Amino acid sequence: MTSFKTLDDLGDVAGKVALVRVDLNLPMQDGSATDVTRAEAAKPTVMELCEKGAKVLLVAHFGRPNGQRHSTMSTSFVQGDVEEVFGSEIMFVPEVSGPVVEQAIGILRNGDIGLLDNVRFWPGEEANDPAFADAIAAHGDFYVNDAFSVSHRAHASTEGLAHRLPAYAGRAMEAELKALDAALGNPEPPVAAVVGGAKVSTKLDVLQHLVGQVRHLIIGGGMANTFLAARGVDVGKSLCEHDLTDTANAIMDKADHAGCTVHLPYDVVVAKEFAPDPPSRRVCNVHEVAEDEMILDIGPQAVEALADVLKTCRTLVWNGPLGAFETSPFDEATVALARTAAALTQDGSLTSVAGGGDTVAALAHAGVKDDFTFVSTAGGAFLEWMEGRELPGVAALRS
Ligand code: ADP
Ligand code: MG
């Protein structure tokens, strides 16, 4: 796990050109970023390299231009927002290789920052084309990957460059890898995993991997309905993948053999219509769901039992909300269990790592995002890591 180099391993880099892969794919509205979290994450690495006197060339993508120049997807659109976050001027460079880049390097002083254009304008990026990676690498003295969130892709800028230049993990990457290692790679037992969200089908590989890794597998959200149905529970109109009955049963069997306890709710929150505070909302035992009702959250008794489970654990990894948390009051279980996990973390009895787009939103909604040990904002990369896969961009840093 510690077999990759970090910025601590850099020698004197004054005047050297650093190619730094960052995630600046900021969500935008009316020409400015609505959330600068990704730029903030990149800041410590960039500032550290600037202070060491490197010439920092940022390599990033923006949107999905599919290998063509797209006037609306230039990284120049995020330049202003990133400058504001960094508190520093950035020179925009409208290419990723060739004479324009060489010229820019000539103009940059030590400690200055350049921002290359959208690396996905070139088909060689997503194809991980060796010639394309060579052309970019030719400009750099060393490579830093600080973009865990795109490291599940074997692209030229995430994987190819790491094989062509001395490669280092940036500070955000380093923190992410350490946190993930503490949660699943090398965790302190007992370990609990919460897996929720809408569908089993999107997280089959996650569940398959986790049952062999954790002591407790807590299943909530829409996917709990599929597991309940597989056990013969009538889930009424609930979101449920009935075609996955065999799969769900196989996962529960595998868990049994591995000594992993699968926790399904025994009470649930149901309603006849999916709307805010519907009058038909009620709490019932899972065996009492009527045929015109749907399960939209796990129940308060289940939450209490799960809180007791977490109290016996030293490590928690969480992906997926326990209910349809965007609609009140179906956020209650997620909020309550998140607060328990946060309190246990603050008390020092639990290492808690969470990730996933909606999970991050749910933890923010519960007001505990900063109270977990680590919250990953990397959606796809986090899930692939939860599936037990080695991410190509991370693997390339180790070699
Ligand atoms: P993440 O983005 O964190 O990986 P998912 O995308 O898998 O999470 O799932 C989040 C979605 O699951 C949310 O939109 C939430 O409303 C939905 N969901 C959770 N529980 C239920 C349920 N019982 N019925 C319908 N949708 C649910
Ligand atoms: Mg999601």
Side-chain angles (χ1 to χ4, degrees):
M1 138 82 198
T2 44
S3 59
F4 54 87
K5 294 200 196 78
T6 71
L7 300 191
D8 295 327
D9 300 303
L10 282 173
D12 178 14
V13 295
K16 299 256 174 77
V17 177
L19 289 170
V20 186
R21 181 58 161 105
V22 286
D23 183 355
L24 298 179
N25 193 23
L26 309 181
M28 308 285 285
Q29 206 171 7
D30 304 327
S32 63
T34 52
D35 181 354
V36 294
T37 309
R38 288 168 168 165
E40 280 166 352
K43 184 177 176 181
T45 292
V46 174
M47 290 305 127
E48 188 171 340
L49 291 169
C50 290
E51 274 157 30
K52 290 185 162 139
K55 297 183 178 187
V56 176
L57 283 185
L58 303 176
V59 185
H61 75 280
F62 183 55
R64 293 172 182 249
N66 283 322
Q68 288 178 23
R69 265 195 200 273
H70 230 284
S71 59
T72 58
M73 292 185 214
S74 168
T75 54
S76 61
F77 287 108
V78 297
Q79 182 183 356
D81 288 297
V82 177
E83 284 179 327
E84 208 166 294
V85 169
F86 287 5
S88 173
E89 264 182 42
I90 295 174
M91 177 192 209
F92 176 67
V93 185
E95 293 286 340
V96 290
S97 67
V100 172
V101 175
E102 216 37 54
Q103 246 170 24
I105 291 169
I107 296 168
L108 291 173
R109 294 159 306 177
N110 294 359
D112 280 354
I113 307 167
L115 171 61
L116 303 182
D117 211 340
N118 191 342
V119 68
R120 290 191 187 166
F121 281 173
W122 290 267
E125 163 65 357
E126 294 186 52
N128 201 3
D129 172 26
F132 181 69
D134 284 343
I136 302 177
H139 300 289
D141 294 303
F142 64 101
Y143 167 75
V144 176
N145 186 349
D146 212 24
F148 176 83
S149 56
V150 284
S151 293
H152 56 314
R153 309 274 184 229
H155 292 172
S157 70
T158 57
E159 209 256 354
L161 289 181
H163 292 304
R164 286 167 172 77
L165 293 168
Y168 303 85
R171 294 302 181 196
M173 173 71 89
E174 185 187 346
E176 182 106 27
L177 294 179
K178 279 189 179 152
L180 299 190
D181 193 62
L184 269 188
N186 240 324
E188 196 183 325
V191 184
V194 171
V195 183
K199 289 180 168 183
V200 173
S201 52
T202 59
K203 297 186 182 173
L204 276 179
D205 293 339
V206 171
L207 295 166
Q208 297 276 12
H209 178 62
L210 286 178
V211 289
Q213 302 289 314
V214 305
R215 176 69 187 81
H216 297 280
L217 177 62
I218 294 166
I219 299 180
M223 63 168 58
N225 304 341
T226 299
F227 279 86
L228 289 169
R231 287 215 167 152
V233 171
D234 187 347
V235 297
K237 268 200 321 174
S238 304
L239 174 66
C240 180
E241 293 164 293
H242 292 284
D243 53 323
L244 289 181
T245 294
D246 291 346
T247 309
N249 280 323
I251 289 170
M252 289 190 279
D253 283 349
K254 188 175 168 191
D256 253 359
H257 286 112
C260 166
T261 307
V262 177
H263 298 266
L264 293 173
Y266 29 77
D267 63 338
V268 286
V269 185
V270 298
K272 289 192 197 333
E273 66 271 53
F274 185 27
D277 304 299
S280 61
R281 173 200 173 269
R282 70 185 185 104
V283 174
C284 68
N285 181 284
V286 290
H287 295 289
E288 294 163 2
V289 180
E291 64 176 23
D292 60 345
E293 287 179 321
M294 55 196 138
I295 301 170
L296 291 165
D297 199 8
I298 69 169
Q301 268 184 288
V303 172
E304 217 169 287
L306 295 175
D308 286 339
V309 170
L310 294 192
K311 283 173 195 155
T312 68
C313 291
R314 298 288 290 167
T315 305
L316 167 68
V317 52
W318 185 331
N319 168 261
L322 299 176
F325 77 100
E326 301 93 334
T327 308
S328 160
F330 308 110
D331 59 339
E332 280 175 4
T334 305
V335 168
L337 198 66
R339 289 188 179 155
T340 298
L344 292 169
T345 306
Q346 293 304 309
D347 290 347
S349 73
L350 190 70
T351 296
S352 54
V353 173
D358 294 293
T359 308
V360 176
L363 296 184
H365 169 72
V368 297
K369 208 177 125 191
D370 298 330
D371 297 332
F372 270 54
T373 309
F374 189 81
V375 176
S376 174
T377 53
F382 182 83
L383 275 181
E384 287 202 17
W385 167 79
M386 273 188 89
E387 291 167 3
R389 298 194 207 197
E390 173 91 297
L391 313 189
V394 174
L397 289 177
R398 295 186 207 273
S399 47

